Amino acid sequence: MSEYRLSVGMEVHAELRTQSKMFCRCQVAFGGEPNTRVCPVCLGLPGALPVPNREAIQMVLRTALALNCQVPVDSVFHRKNYFYPDLPKGFQVSQYEETNPIGYHGHLMIHTSKGPKRIGIKRVHLEEDTGKILHLPGGGSGVDYNRAGVPLMEIVTDFPPDIESAEEAREYVAQLRQLLVYLGVCDGKMEEGSLRCEPNISVRRADSETLGTKTELKNLSSFRNVFLGTEYERRRQIAVLETGGTVAQETRGWNEATESSYLMRTKESEQEYRYFPCPDLVPLHFDRADVEAARAALPELPLAKLQRYQDEFNLSPQDAQLLTAERPWAEWFEAAVVAGGDPKAVCNWMNGDFARLLKETGQAAVIPGVESDTEGREPARMSPEILVKVAKLVADGTITGKKAKEVFEKAYMTGDDPASMVEGQTQISDTDFIRQAVADVIAEHPDPVATYRSGKGGVLGFLVGQVMRRTQGRANPPMVQEEMRRQLDETS
Amino acid sequence: MPITLDEVRHVARLARLELTEDELRAFQTELDALLGHFQDLQAVDVTGVAPKPHAVALQNVLAEDVARFGLTRDQALANAPKSRAGLFLVPSIRED
C-alpha cells in the first residue's frame, strides 16, 4: 500500500452564551417545550426586522482576538439562501467574504506529540442557528424553532489545512473548546450541541502536491468521536483509492453506535447559496480603540496560564495542566495562593482530596462572594482560606499528614475553621514528651529491642508504631523515629 | 440570448419554483433584460469610488442582550398549515 497523507480542515460551530437570540430578544435556553421561545423575527414572519445582539458581537470579537485574528474596520452580515424546513426565513444570516468576518487570518497553538503546532484560522464569523427537525412516529417531520436565531459563532481553519492527523484534530477541538469556555462565550457542552465540529477530511498520496477530494463529517458530539470519525474517514478513503475508486465530495454523518460514517445529503455549491449583504441589517463598525480595549480586557488564556504555573509556581507540567483545565478551578487555586498557601501544597490538596470530595458530593469549587457555578451545582463549603489553614497545620507540624486528611474532610463538610477541630488533638513535637514515650516503649518491649540490637533494623518500624499507638497518633512521627534510633543506638 | 433555458431551470429549482416550458421561456426573456441592466451598471467607471456596505448611512444599530417574551405557542402556530404536538408539521425529511 502507498503512503498517504491526511489533511483535515475543521469547522466548529459554537452557540454563544447570551441571554437572548442574535436578531431578536427571545430567550436562549436548552430544551423546554417546542416553539415557546419564538417571535415574528425568528419565525421569519413578513415585515419583522432584525436587530443584532450587542453582547454576541462582543463575544465573537473577544474570540477573534484570543485567536490572534485581524478585525475589520467594517463588517457586514450576508444572507445565505437555501430552502430547508429548519430555516424559517429561507435564508440564514451569516458573514461571507475573506476579510469581512469579525475575525480573520488568525491562529491557535496546540500541543502535539511532536511539540507545539500552529493551526491557522481562516475566519471567525457570526451567524444564526437553525431550528430542530424531529421525525414524528407515523411519518412526517415536525419543526421546533426555539433554537432558530440563537447566536452561532463559526470558526474555520485555514486552507490548505494544518491538521494532519486524527490526534491533531482532537487536540485542536479540545483546546479550542477550553479557550471558548475560558472566554465565557460558550458553555462547551458538546452533548447538548453547544459545540459542533465538522471536519473536512481528505487524503492524498505522500508524493502528491494537490489535496485529495474531501468529505465533510457531521454529528461528532465528543472529542472521542472527532478522533474516531477522522480516523475512520482516513481509512475509508484510502481503501477507496487503493481499490482504484475515486472519493466523492459529499457530506457524511457519523454513527456513534456502529462507529462508521454514512452518506447524508449532497449540498448546494457555494455559488448556489447566492450570498448577498442583508439589506435589513446595517454594517458593524469596529473602532480601533474599542478593539484594543477588548484585547486588553481578555482574561489570561489557558496556554499562558499553563506556562506561568510552571515558571512562577515551579509546578510540573502535569500539575499545571490539571489546575488550568478549567478557569474556575485555576482561579480557585490562585485565590488560595493569594491567601498565603504554598503553591505545591495547595495543588496537591486540590487535585487530591478536594477533587475527590467534589466528585463524591457533586458540588462545585466556588470562591465565596466572587463567582457562582455556571453548571448550577451546589457550591462547596471549602474555601481557599480553609484549605490554606489545613496545609499550614501540616507544614508547621501541628498535625500529621494522616490527621490532616481527616481535618480536611471535616472542614469540607462543615466549612468550620480547621484550627478549632484540632484542639487537643494537635501533633506533639515536645522533645521531653517524645523522649519519655520512646523510653517507655523500649522498656516494655525487650525482645524487639534485642532483635534491633542484633542488627535487624527492620524492627524499628514496629517500635515507632508502638509509640504512635501510645500517643494516639499525635506524636510527631519523624521526631519519634529519630529519638527511637538515638536511644536504641545510644544504650546498645 | 446570454442566459440559457437550462440556467433558468436551475435557478427555478434553487427557488423551488415549478415552471412550465412557457413560463421558463418567459422568465428567460425577463432575466435576460435584467442581466442587461447589470451590464449597463458594469460599464460605469467606478475607479476611486470606495465600496459602500449599505445604502443608508447608519452603523452599529444594536440591541442590549435582555431576553423578552415573544409569542405564545398558539400564536406561533396559528398560521401553520399543519401542526402537531406543538411542532410545525412539514413533509417528511429523511437524512439517513
Side-chain angles (χ1 to χ4, degrees):
Chain A
M1 200 170 88
S2 326
E3 287 287 311
Y4 286 89
R5 285 172 69 181
L6 174 71
S7 289
V8 183
M10 191 73 75
E11 286 180 19
V12 172
H13 285 94
E15 282 184 351
L16 298 178
R17 274 181 53 188
T18 51
Q19 299 297 312
S20 65
K21 290 187 181 180
M22 186 58 225
F23 298 111
C24 62
R25 304 288 76 79
C26 288
Q27 194 201 353
V28 171
F30 179 73
E33 286 295 303
N35 295 307
T36 51
R37 299 189 296 270
V38 291
C39 76
V41 175
C42 56
L43 288 177
L45 300 187
L49 282 172
V51 186
N53 185 326
R54 185 188 301 277
E55 181 61 18
I57 291 163
Q58 285 303 312
M59 286 179 171
V60 178
L61 176 63
R62 285 214 295 277
T63 307
L65 293 170
L67 289 170
N68 311 290
C69 286
Q70 306 287 314
V71 176
V73 176
D74 294 294
S75 177
V76 301
F77 288 107
H78 293 88
R79 289 186 181 181
K80 178 182 182 180
N81 299 277
Y82 66 97
F83 287 108
Y84 209 66
D86 61 7
L87 198 67
K89 298 196 288 280
F91 59 85
Q92 179 188 30
V93 176
S94 183
Q95 295 193 291
Y96 193 51
E97 294 171 1
E98 179 86 13
T99 59
N100 172 66
I102 296 175
Y104 61 91
H105 298 174
H107 69 268
L108 176 69
M109 295 302 291
I110 65 166
H111 323 281
T112 72
S113 50
K114 294 175 211 147
K117 181 166 181 176
R118 182 187 194 277
I119 306 298
I121 305 282
K122 186 179 175 189
R123 62 167 196 263
V124 180
H125 77 242
L126 187 49
E127 57 186 34
E128 55 182 339
D129 211 345
T130 60
K132 267 186 184 161
I133 297 174
L134 294 108
H135 303 290
L136 299 173
S141 297
V143 193
D144 169 13
Y145 290 114
N146 281 344
R147 200 182 66 180
V150 167
L152 195 63
M153 176 167 62
E154 182 173 331
I155 301 165
V156 184
T157 55
D158 248 344
F159 187 84
D162 294 316
I163 298 171
E164 293 170 307
S165 69
E167 290 87 355
E168 288 178 11
R170 178 183 52 198
E171 200 55 31
Y172 169 76
V173 170
Q175 285 182 38
L176 185 60
R177 178 190 175 276
Q178 187 192 31
L179 183 74
L180 299 181
V181 175
Y182 254 73
L183 292 170
V185 302
C186 178
D187 66 22
K189 290 180 187 168
M190 295 180 82
E191 70 286 0
E192 288 183 7
S194 302
L195 195 75
R196 311 197 278 273
C197 311
E198 288 160 19
N200 290 305
I201 301 155
S202 70
V203 299
R204 60 178 151 148
R205 288 184 200 279
D207 56 3
S208 168
E209 288 291 309
T210 48
L211 292 174
T213 306
K214 65 184 181 187
T215 55
E216 183 177 325
L217 202 52
K218 283 180 179 283
N219 299 345
L220 300 169
S221 58
S222 66
F223 299 147
R224 181 181 137 84
N225 285 334
V226 169
F227 176 83
L228 290 177
T230 306
E231 188 56 20
Y232 178 88
E233 267 302 296
R234 185 183 73 85
R235 287 164 192 260
R236 189 189 67 83
Q237 292 183 14
I238 290 174
V240 168
L241 296 175
E242 282 290 305
T243 53
T246 50
V247 174
Q249 179 161 354
E250 59 198 16
T251 301
R252 300 180 69 86
W254 178 249
N255 186 325
E256 242 183 274
T258 60
E259 296 192 352
S260 61
S261 71
Y262 59 91
L263 180 65
M264 287 172 90
R265 63 191 151 135
T266 46
K267 288 169 81 179
E268 277 88 345
S269 71
E270 186 156 282
Q271 194 185 19
E272 289 172 343
Y273 283 126
R274 291 154 291 149
Y275 284 97
F276 67 92
C278 181
D280 286 345
L281 293 161
V282 300
L284 303 174
H285 179 82
F286 294 98
D287 269 333
R288 294 302 96 178
D290 294 343
V291 172
E292 288 319 308
R295 195 194 307 277
L298 286 179
E300 185 179 29
L301 301 178
L303 211 59
K305 237 186 224 308
L306 184 69
Q307 193 56 50
R308 182 167 68 86
Y309 282 18
Q310 294 170 62
D311 298 344
E312 191 178 323
F313 303 130
N314 218 4
L315 295 173
S316 71
Q318 292 74 20
D319 280 344
Q321 188 85 52
L322 279 169
L323 289 173
T324 57
E326 288 176 46
R327 187 172 158 190
W329 192 239
E331 286 175 350
W332 207 97
F333 166 77
E334 288 171 29
V337 173
V338 168
D342 169 65
K344 180 63 185 166
V346 171
C347 170
N348 289 346
W349 278 111
M350 285 184 72
N351 291 336
D353 291 71
F354 191 23
R356 173 181 61 82
L357 288 162
L358 287 170
K359 203 172 166 195
E360 284 172 11
T361 56
Q363 293 176 333
V366 171
I367 302 168
V370 175
E371 239 187 297
S372 61
D373 179 48
T374 50
E375 305 286 309
R377 288 170 299 191
E378 188 190 353
R381 290 199 173 89
M382 176 58 62
S383 70
E385 288 73 20
I386 294 176
L387 183 144
V388 170
K389 279 185 184 172
V390 178
K392 281 194 168 161
L393 289 173
V394 183
D396 64 17
T398 311
I399 55 175
T400 60
K402 193 173 164 222
K403 177 77 189 167
K405 284 173 92 72
E406 210 179 286
V407 170
F408 187 88
E409 189 153 342
K410 200 170 167 193
Y412 179 94
M413 295 302 176
T414 60
D416 292 343
D417 186 345
S420 69
M421 292 172 205
V422 297
E423 271 164 32
Q425 306 171 39
T426 53
Q427 181 166 267
I428 299 164
S429 305
D430 182 272
T431 326
D432 290 338
F433 174 84
I434 288 173
R435 189 178 297 140
Q436 187 55 53
V438 168
D440 290 350
V441 167
I442 287 176
E444 283 166 24
H445 297 86
D447 291 350
V449 168
T451 309
Y452 178 88
R453 287 175 177 158
S454 70
K456 294 189 177 125
V459 80
L460 184 70
F462 167 79
L463 291 166
V464 169
Q466 292 309 305
V467 178
M468 296 309 291
R469 205 172 136 187
R470 171 183 282 269
T471 61
Q472 281 103 47
R474 291 172 58 198
N476 182 322
M479 285 179 73
V480 172
Q481 177 125 352
E482 198 191 322
E483 179 62 20
M484 178 63 76
R485 195 175 270 136
R486 195 186 64 76
Q487 288 193 24
L488 286 170
D489 293 345
E490 192 173 68
T491 49
S492 58
Chain B
M1 287 199 191
I3 185 163
T4 66
L5 214 54
D6 272 346
E7 285 171 326
V8 179
R9 210 171 269 128
H10 180 64
V11 173
R13 192 188 63 78
L14 289 178
R16 302 294 188 272
L17 293 175
E18 221 175 306
L19 302 178
T20 65
E21 288 299 308
D22 285 348
E23 286 170 324
L24 281 172
R25 267 187 288 276
F27 275 113
Q28 186 185 21
T29 312
E30 286 183 24
L31 286 171
D32 225 31
L34 202 63
L35 289 171
H37 292 308
F38 280 95
Q39 271 166 9
D40 292 344
L41 286 173
Q42 276 172 334
V44 177
D45 182 12
V46 291
T47 319
V49 180
K52 257 180 95 83
H54 203 274
V56 297
L58 286 171
Q59 60 190 24
N60 293 341
V61 177
L62 307 172
E64 298 310 318
D65 180 29
V66 181
R68 277 201 311 264
F69 185 75
L71 297 174
T72 65
R73 184 155 79 180
D74 287 345
Q75 285 172 326
L77 293 169
N79 289 323
K82 282 184 183 172
S83 66
R84 197 201 300 167
L87 299 163
F88 289 84
L89 210 56
V90 296
S92 192
I93 306 292
R94 301 292 319 169
E95 275 205 348
D96 42 6

